[in-house]
Amino acid sequence: ENGSAAAIPIDPRFDIAYVTPVTIGTPPQTLYLDFDTGSSDLWVFSSHTPESQVRGQRIYSPEKSSTAKLLAGHTWSILYGDGSGSLGNVYTDNFTVGGVTVTSQAVQTAQQVSYSFTSQSEIHGLVGLGFSTLNTVFPNGQLTFFDNAKSTLDSPVFTADLKWKKEGTYDFGFIDETKYTGEITYLPVQTDPGYWTFTSSGYAVGDGAFHPASIVGIADTGTSLTYLPAEVVTSYWGQVDGAVDSDYYGGYVFPCSSKLPSFTFGVGPANITIPASYINYAQITEGSPVCFGGLQSSSWLGVNIWGDVALKAAFVVFNGANPPTIGWAKK
Ligand SMILES: O=C(Cc1ccccc1)Nn1cnc2ccccc21
């Protein structure tokens, strides 16, 4: 059975993250979760999360679900690249998103969450859509929702149609031709260690010359911004008067009044252009004349990340066939 679900920005001012409604258990408990191709744990705020760490989030209570089963002796603990993290124990239960149901999905219940999760009341947990090799459940790693659902889908794919400051969609099992223009360019995916890793064929700043290059990076719906090699972001921000890479603000900032160039990245023989407006990410604080860039250096990360700033400029196909591929189309 195929499905389609909304990807809703959690903040109307800028696209920090997107959440998608899911139901867990019997009777169904509805939570809004961050679908994240950059990790592979499905975890939720729960009745096991200390009240001091819950601030407005909806919680999953397995004890109120007649279909919940404790996965005895299993625990999990995850640390994300931005330093946030969570840990807890594991149940299996019915899990439905956009009409696609997995009857025995591993649902990781949080017994601890870091402050950055406590502080974001609109995110009630995560659904990892990376490869299941990254799952942190011990002693037996669990399968992602997509890996469990794959065999019931018409096609082993899901697509991301994220939008700038608007609601987009995740589709499961089919490719909606009305959501993109032209052709989809498919690229090989490196599945080790478990991210959707692909190689971009280069970049251009604004209307400037295209620079052929091999930029290996991950397509990560769980990361807000896009982090690329220093030489790429330096040539981009070099075109913006007053832009500086600020230690104080932790990245490239620029005068909000600046006219930014667009940014184009190669996908095989094709390319995707990120409009300047997506790269004018946000004012440092409400009303500030200083703005934070959506394109940042990856040099301190050790990995290039095509986050939401890039993904929302395209229609992206995550093809879970063997071998997996990733498809990019304009829209
Ligand atoms: O952890 C990262 C990569 C990152 C972002 C920003 C700075 C350094 C590294 N993204 N991510 C992917 N899924 C996530 C889930 C929660 C938090 C971050 C998440």
Side-chain angles (χ1 to χ4, degrees), residues 45 94 99 111 143 153 157 166 186 201 225 269 293 329:
F45 277 77
N94 299 348
Q111 290 175 304
L143 295 180
L153 301 175
V157 302
K166 276 195 300 195
Y186 287 92
S201 48
L225 309 184

Side-chain angles (χ1 to χ4, degrees), residues 36 80-82 84 117 126 220 222-223 227 300-301 305:
D36 175 18
Y80 298 101
D82 68 351
S84 65
F117 288 117
L126 267 73
D220 184 358
T223 294
Y227 298 83
W300 54 283
L301 277 181
I305 303 178

Side-chain angles (χ1 to χ4, degrees), residues 130-218:
F131 293 88
S132 294
T133 44
L134 287 179
N135 181 266
T136 74
V137 173
F138 178 84
N140 305 313
Q142 301 299 303
L143 295 180
T144 64
F145 160 74
F146 177 55
D147 272 352
N148 283 322
K150 227 184 253 185
S151 56
T152 66
L153 301 175
D154 287 358
S155 178
V157 302
F158 66 91
T159 66
D161 179 19
L162 300 179
K163 293 181 189 251
W164 184 58
K165 301 188 184 182
K166 276 195 300 195
E167 178 177 312
T169 50
Y170 288 112
D171 293 338
F172 296 93
F174 68 105
I175 291 171
D176 183 341
E177 314 269 327
T178 68
K179 289 185 175 167
Y180 65 91
T181 60
E183 299 297 312
I184 301 175
T185 300
Y186 287 92
L187 302 174
V189 162
Q190 166 63 267
T191 59
D192 175 23
Y195 302 106
W196 289 88
T197 305
F198 70 99
T199 301
S200 165
S201 48
Y203 69 95
V205 176
D207 303 332
F210 185 81
H211 301 273
S214 288
I215 305 171
V216 177
I218 69 171

Side-chain angles (χ1 to χ4, degrees), residues 61-303:
S61 302
E63 66 280 0
K64 293 180 182 169
S65 169
S66 60
T67 40
K69 292 187 186 65
L70 176 68
L71 200 58
H74 286 73
T75 57
W76 59 280
S77 172
I78 192 162
L79 180 61
Y80 298 101
D82 68 351
S84 65
S86 50
L87 63 86
N89 44 31
V90 189
Y91 288 78
T92 58
D93 208 341
N94 299 348
F95 185 88
T96 299
V97 56
V100 179
T101 293
V102 169
T103 51
S104 185
Q105 175 63 45
V107 178
Q108 299 168 219
T109 46
Q111 290 175 304
Q112 294 289 318
V113 301
S114 62
Y115 180 71
S116 70
F117 288 117
T118 297
S119 66
Q120 284 192 323
S121 59
E122 309 84 353
I123 297 179
H124 310 153
L126 267 73
V127 175
L129 294 172
F131 293 88
S132 294
T133 44
L134 287 179
N135 181 266
T136 74
V137 173
F138 178 84
N140 305 313
Q142 301 299 303
L143 295 180
T144 64
F145 160 74
F146 177 55
D147 272 352
N148 283 322
K150 227 184 253 185
S151 56
T152 66
L153 301 175
D154 287 358
S155 178
V157 302
F158 66 91
T159 66
D161 179 19
L162 300 179
K163 293 181 189 251
W164 184 58
K165 301 188 184 182
K166 276 195 300 195
E167 178 177 312
T169 50
Y170 288 112
D171 293 338
F172 296 93
F174 68 105
I175 291 171
D176 183 341
E177 314 269 327
T178 68
K179 289 185 175 167
Y180 65 91
T181 60
E183 299 297 312
I184 301 175
T185 300
Y186 287 92
L187 302 174
V189 162
Q190 166 63 267
T191 59
D192 175 23
Y195 302 106
W196 289 88
T197 305
F198 70 99
T199 301
S200 165
S201 48
Y203 69 95
V205 176
D207 303 332
F210 185 81
H211 301 273
S214 288
I215 305 171
V216 177
I218 69 171
D220 184 358
T221 56
T223 294
S224 319
L225 309 184
T226 287
Y227 298 83
L228 296 176
E231 65 272 7
V232 175
V233 297
T234 307
S235 76
Y236 177 84
W237 291 110
Q239 299 300 311
V240 178
D241 288 341
V244 294
D245 191 358
S246 156
D247 290 338
Y248 181 79
Y249 289 116
Y252 280 94
V253 296
F254 60 96
C256 294
S257 54
S258 307
K259 183 164 173 29
L260 297 185
S262 62
F263 180 83
T264 297
F265 60 98
V267 283
N271 60 65
I272 298 292
T273 294
I274 305 173
S277 54
Y278 296 13
I279 301 171
N280 186 340
Y281 181 68
Q283 296 174 345
I284 292 299
T285 48
E286 194 64 40
S288 164
V290 180
C291 276
F292 198 77
L295 211 47
Q296 296 293 344
S297 173
S298 63
S299 51
W300 54 283
L301 277 181
V303 62

